[in-house]
Every structure is written in structure tokens, then in C-alpha cells.
Amino acid sequence: MKNVLKRSIVVISFVLLIICAVSWVNAQDDDSDITMMTLSKGGLVINYPSNWGCAQAESNCSIMSIAKLDSIDASGVGQVNINFEKKSYEGDFETYLNNTYGTLKKDPSFNLTASGEVMVNNVHAYEYTYSSEKNGTVKEHKAVWFEKGGQAYVMLYSAPVSEYDDNVYVFNYILSDIQIT
């Protein structure tokens, strides 16, 4: 009887070990082979995951642009992207931002959903979230603006509505880790 009990405990332990191992393997994220990459341009240093890469920017003021690799189209533009821009401006920074978003509000496809002040790497910044429609595609955007040395910097995340929530963590990580030189 003792031998049967011992064998049963061994078999049950072995089965539980197998179940735990299979569960652990299944729980591993498909992104386990992702490494962090670094990009430095225009006074900014960012770290981003290797399933994102350099992409074409649609803005002439862009200093760098990255996109989720599987979202880059034939022209090199990412549909899920983060664009970094640097612009000269005159006058007060807040007035510049108010004028920028005042102009955007005139576009009927633009819908500002939130705005406020934030800190980026100990630098005072302004955050705007909004949606827009272009060529039948509705995108959500998150823009963070800050000023340094008389230049306006904006970090802009854009994605189709269906992909926004799944990828905004990359923008938030970069924002929390960005180095402003």
C-alpha cells in the first residue's frame, strides 16, 4: 500500500511539473526575442524595441521617425509610428502651441480629446491627445511638446484607432526614458 501511495505521489508530482512547464512555456511572450535599440538625433536619445525601426516621416520638420515594423507601407511610412520633430518658433512657447492647435481645430476631421501639462525627463511639457481622419482612416494621436534652446520639440505617436491602445506603451516607455541633450 505504501508503495502505491509513493508511486501515486511521484506520478502526480510529475504530472503537475509537466503542467507547470507547459503553462510557463505558453505564458512566454512572443516578443521574448525583442531587444532594445538606441537612436540619437537632433538633441534626443531614445531607446525603442527592435520590432520597431526607422521609417519615413511625413513632416518636413522631422528629426527622426520610428514605426512598428509590420506597419510600414511600400513608401516607408509607418501606420503605427512615433515621429520626433524640432521647429523654430518666435515669441512665447504657450502662444505658439495655442496657435498650432487653434489652426488644427479648424479642420473638421480633427477632434481634441485631452490636453494638459506633464514632465518629460525633468522638463516641463504639454500633452495633447486627439483623433483625425485622413483618406478614410481614423487615427488617434498623442503629442508631447517641450521647449529647449528656443526650439519647439514634439514627440508624436499616431496609430489607427484599432491599434492605438496595443502600441501606446512604446510611446510611453520612450517618453519615460528619453534623454534630451
Side-chain angles (χ1 to χ4, degrees):
M1 184 73 166
K2 286 184 179 181
N3 285 339
V4 171
L5 184 59
K6 285 182 184 179
R7 286 186 195 143
S8 296
I9 291 173
V10 169
V11 168
I12 290 171
S13 296
F14 182 73
V15 168
L16 288 174
L17 180 64
I18 297 288
I19 290 170
C20 289
V22 168
S23 296
W24 182 80
V25 167
N26 288 338
Q28 293 301 304
D29 192 11
D30 289 341
D31 293 336
S32 60
D33 60 343
I34 301 295
T35 57
M36 295 305 287
M37 310 296 287
T38 301
L39 187 58
S40 175
K41 286 186 180 177
L44 303 177
V45 179
I46 64 165
N47 294 300
Y48 62 94
S50 60
N51 60 341
W52 286 61
C54 293
Q56 290 292 106
E58 293 180 307
S59 169
N60 292 333
C61 298
S62 180
I63 53 176
M64 60 181 154
S65 183
I66 62 171
K68 191 171 179 187
L69 292 175
D70 64 5
S71 80
I72 297 175
D73 63 22
S75 64
V77 175
Q79 299 308 302
V80 177
N81 66 56
I82 302 171
N83 193 41
F84 303 83
E85 297 178 13
K86 181 178 173 181
K87 302 176 181 183
S88 295
Y89 71 94
E90 300 216 2
D92 178 66
F93 184 59
E94 285 185 53
T95 302
Y96 171 74
L97 289 178
N98 289 333
N99 290 340
T100 298
Y101 284 92
T103 301
L104 287 173
K105 286 179 184 179
K106 293 176 185 174
D107 180 347
S109 71
F110 174 84
N111 180 33
L112 182 65
T113 55
S115 64
E117 298 181 32
V118 294
M119 294 297 288
V120 176
N121 198 3
N122 295 320
V123 174
H124 184 258
Y126 298 88
E127 181 178 273
Y128 296 85
T129 54
Y130 58 95
S131 63
S132 68
E133 185 270 329
K134 182 178 178 183
N135 299 328
T137 301
V138 178
K139 286 190 167 186
E140 289 189 60
H141 311 273
K142 186 174 186 179
V144 175
W145 293 81
F146 59 91
E147 183 273 333
K148 182 171 182 189
Q151 299 285 313
Y153 288 82
V154 64
M155 184 172 147
L156 174 64
Y157 166 63
S158 297
V161 171
S162 62
E163 299 181 58
Y164 183 89
D165 288 338
D166 292 341
N167 296 289
V168 72
Y169 75 94
V170 174
F171 177 85
N172 292 333
Y173 171 78
I174 291 171
L175 194 59
S176 72
D177 188 61
I178 195 168
Q179 297 171 32
I180 306 165
T181 59

